[in-house]
């Protein structure tokens, strides 16, 4: 402690004397859950340690909105943002605008899951350092399932039947606002994740296959979307068509849903002091279409990239390495229940004690289904937005799933052209 204080005062003296130039770094970060609050605390430590100053630029929670803004800034060669928090799917699309971190991260890269590093490596360049990974869960109310003698559901139909029965009985007993199932039905990247899960867990493929084939126009995929359409207004509120992660969590955390599809960040928030479901829920893997089918979670996650246009690249890289370090990832796992990208933290006793689901989540994210971002490369955002539009149209009753998927296939074929 004493040594640390001495080192700090030495830095302050050096800064005051002008021998070390303190950098001003600007960092664009996502606002989902308590990310910003957590970052403020961590940035204070970084600032103390380095004498640098970090300005936090808060971005919308929606991955899609954040992407649109980043794309504009980067296309304009914006020098005002040095570090970007980036979604796992963006690496191939934004690679050229980010600094190659390979050399700078060579001392730590071996501590990360190789597959996650691979997802951020484009043409041999490491374009972002993984901050946390993501794979969704089916959150379920243990207390309500027990009350009605129900088992956690294995299939989508079982989930819907249990949701309906508990919803109806609880409403009769006075819980007027209770819904069976909340998820992310808004027109944005989150619906691509939900839709991919429904389709893939029904044997309907993964929209565009790793070999580039457009596979989405098939009967199993259409049946999966029709199944989800039947939930709207029966077990899911009509408003779910406008929900993103935070809206679903709002309904869930006030005790108004039996089941929720969400990412692990909702686990620690759901167990927070102000949560109506604290201690009343558990998480499991998402359902499948039929027993024996493979569970399919979409692979998510967030990373840190340094802008090619930054005039503070060394300080920006130091910030990225700090935020992705073991100490900070451990604190992030314990406080925010975000899944670490460092292998060791899955054997960490403190992490397991704070987030009992986490050791079990390692095989789940390792087995998760990637969205076709590496396949569609710079066209991924368009593929995704065409897919979520087809899904949203189906859910809102504008065209049948079969019609919408046929149109989608035609659109994707045009978009693909000769090759992705
Ligand atoms: C989560 C995932 C991210 C995904 C987003 C969709 O934040 O980590 O990969 O794109 O949800 O809403």
């Amino acid at each position: 402690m004493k040594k640390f204080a001495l080192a700090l005062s030495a830095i302050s003296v050096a800064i005051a004397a002008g021998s070390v130039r303190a950098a001003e770094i600007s960092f664009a970060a996502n606002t989902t859950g308590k990310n910003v609050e957590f970052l403020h605390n961590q940035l204070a430590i970084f600032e103390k340690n380095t004498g640098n100053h970090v300005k936090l630029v808060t971005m919308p929670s929606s991955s899609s909105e954040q992407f649109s803004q980043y794309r504009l800034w980067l296309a304009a060669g914006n020098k005002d943002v040095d570090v970007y928090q980036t979604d796992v799917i963006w690496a191939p699309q934004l690679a050229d605008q980010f600094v190659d971190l390979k050399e700078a991260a060579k001392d730590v890269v071996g501590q990360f899951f190789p597959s996650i590093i691979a997802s951020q490596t484009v043409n041999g360049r490491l374009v972002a350092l993984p901050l946390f990974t993501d794979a969704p869960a089916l959150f379920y109310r243990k207390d309500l399932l027990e009350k009605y003698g129900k088992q956690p559901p294995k299939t989508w139909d079982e989930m819907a039947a249990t949701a309906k029965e508990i919803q109806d009985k609880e409403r009769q007993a006075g819980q007027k606002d209770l819904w069976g199932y909340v998820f992310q039905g808004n027109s944005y990247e989150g619906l691509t994740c939900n839709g991919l899960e429904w389709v893939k867990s029904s044997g309907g493929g993964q929209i565009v296959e790793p070999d580039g084939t457009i596979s989405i126009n098939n009967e199993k995929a259409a049946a999966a979307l029709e199944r989800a359409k039947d939930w709207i207004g029966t077990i899911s509120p009509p408003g779910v068509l406008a929900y993103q992660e935070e809206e679903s969590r709002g309904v869930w955390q006030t005790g108004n849903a039996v089941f929720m599809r969400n990412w692990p960040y909702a686990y620690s928030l759901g167990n927070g002091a102000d949560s109506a479901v604290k201690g009343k829920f558990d998480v499991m893997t998402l359902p499948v279409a039929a027993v024996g089918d493979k569970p399919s979670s979409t692979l998510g996650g967030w990373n840190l990239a340094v802008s090619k246009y930054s005039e503070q690249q060394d300080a920006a890289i130091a910030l990225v390495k700090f935020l992705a370090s073991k100490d900070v990832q451990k604190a992030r796992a314990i406080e925010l229940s975000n899944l670490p990208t460092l292998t060791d933290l899955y054997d960490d006793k403190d992490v397991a004690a704070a987030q009992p689901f986490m050791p079990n989540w390692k095989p789940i994210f390792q087995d998760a289904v990637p969205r076709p971002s590496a396949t569609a490369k710079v066209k991924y955002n368009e593929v995704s937005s065409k897919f979520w539009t087809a899904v949203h149209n189906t859910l809102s009753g504008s065209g049948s799933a079969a019609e919408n998927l046929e149109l989608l296939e035609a659109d994707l074929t045009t978009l693909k052209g000769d090759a992705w």
Side-chain angles (χ1 to χ4, degrees):
M1 194 60 221
K2 212 167 164 193
K3 253 193 196 159
F4 182 61
L6 277 177
L8 276 185
S9 62
I11 291 173
S12 325
V13 169
I15 292 168
S19 56
V20 175
R21 199 169 52 91
E24 289 281 329
I25 321 165
S26 152
F27 168 28
N30 186 277
T31 46
T32 306
K34 290 197 169 160
N35 191 44
V36 166
E37 199 175 310
F38 174 82
L39 284 174
H40 273 301
N41 295 334
Q42 297 300 327
L43 292 176
I45 300 175
F46 176 78
E47 290 181 336
K48 256 196 191 167
N49 289 352
T50 61
N52 294 331
H53 178 70
V54 185
K55 190 175 121 217
L56 210 51
V57 181
T58 52
M59 303 303 297
S61 170
S62 159
S63 165
S64 310
E65 280 177 47
Q66 204 171 340
F67 180 72
S68 308
Q69 183 61 66
Y70 282 9
R71 201 154 57 168
L72 287 177
W73 282 340
L74 290 164
N78 188 322
K79 293 187 165 65
D80 296 338
V81 178
D82 303 286
V83 176
Y84 287 90
Q85 182 180 340
T86 58
D87 199 333
V88 66
I89 48 182
W90 300 341
Q93 295 165 93
L94 300 177
D96 294 348
Q97 323 269 16
F98 293 146
V99 169
D100 180 5
L101 300 174
K102 207 166 196 174
E103 191 56 32
K106 68 169 190 250
D107 56 333
V108 292
V109 83
Q111 301 166 14
F112 290 77
F113 285 95
S115 60
I116 309 180
I117 290 292
S119 76
Q120 300 307 302
T121 304
V122 181
N123 299 330
R125 301 171 68 242
L126 180 61
V127 300
L129 208 55
L131 183 61
F132 66 93
T133 184
D134 241 352
L138 182 72
F139 289 68
Y140 64 95
R141 286 281 299 275
K142 265 189 316 198
D143 57 335
L144 291 177
L145 265 60
E146 267 163 33
K147 182 169 169 189
Y148 292 98
K150 299 287 174 197
Q151 292 302 312
K154 293 202 171 58
T155 65
W156 292 111
D157 287 342
E158 207 184 310
M159 184 280 287
T162 302
K164 183 78 169 72
E165 184 179 333
I166 297 180
Q167 174 188 298
D168 290 351
K169 290 187 173 155
E170 284 289 296
R171 283 190 190 177
Q172 275 161 23
Q175 285 288 330
K176 293 277 177 255
D177 295 330
L178 187 75
W179 284 99
Y181 183 49
V182 289
F183 59 94
Q184 295 76 43
N186 197 331
S187 278
Y188 80 122
E189 187 62 31
L191 183 54
T192 289
C193 300
N194 283 254
L196 173 61
E197 287 153 6
W198 303 332
V199 168
K200 177 78 180 169
S201 67
S202 306
Q206 48 198 83
I207 311 169
V208 176
E209 301 306 307
D211 70 0
T213 311
I214 298 163
S215 63
I216 189 60
N217 186 19
N218 68 77
E219 275 171 22
K220 287 181 174 167
L225 299 190
E226 291 293 349
R227 187 202 299 121
K229 186 205 174 331
D230 288 344
W231 301 334
I232 314 294
T234 55
I235 57 166
S236 304
V240 80
L241 294 174
Y243 285 8
Q244 299 184 1
E245 282 78 5
E246 291 290 72
E247 287 80 18
S248 338
R249 185 172 70 82
V251 174
W252 164 259
Q253 220 170 286
T254 44
N256 288 325
V258 184
F259 296 109
M260 169 177 73
R261 182 266 183 213
N262 217 328
W263 306 92
Y265 86 99
Y267 188 90
S268 64
L269 289 163
N271 278 321
D274 58 351
S275 166
V277 296
K278 180 175 192 266
K280 293 184 179 168
F281 70 92
D282 212 338
V283 291
M284 63 184 293
T285 51
L286 296 176
V288 292
V291 178
D293 281 347
K294 210 170 160 262
S296 308
S297 305
T298 302
L299 180 65
W302 289 82
N303 309 275
L304 295 169
V306 173
S307 165
K308 200 170 88 179
Y309 311 106
S310 163
E311 287 170 341
Q312 300 289 354
Q313 290 186 9
D314 290 346
I317 289 171
L319 174 63
V320 166
K321 287 184 78 177
F322 170 76
L323 291 174
S325 70
K326 193 165 174 182
D327 284 354
V328 183
Q329 285 210 31
K330 179 169 172 173
R332 182 178 272 283
I334 290 173
E335 290 171 40
L336 303 185
S337 59
N338 284 155
L339 301 172
T341 56
L342 299 167
T343 50
D344 272 9
L345 288 174
Y346 289 84
D347 302 319
D348 187 290
K349 285 199 198 69
D350 303 329
V351 170
Q355 312 297 355
F357 77 96
M358 215 171 259
N360 304 337
W361 234 250
K362 182 172 151 185
I364 296 178
F365 84 76
Q366 288 187 302
D367 228 20
V369 186
R371 282 161 275 175
S373 56
T375 315
K377 303 186 195 79
V378 292
K379 295 176 184 169
Y380 172 73
N381 194 53
E382 267 185 276
V383 169
S384 182
S385 88
K386 287 180 192 302
F387 176 64
W388 83 54
T389 304
V391 176
H392 198 267
N393 284 343
T394 307
L395 297 183
S396 36
S398 162
S400 68
E403 287 160 359
N404 289 327
L405 292 185
E406 195 180 329
L407 288 173
L408 175 63
E409 180 186 49
D411 268 5
L412 292 181
T413 305
T414 310
L415 178 67
K416 177 180 174 184
D418 293 337
W420 286 110

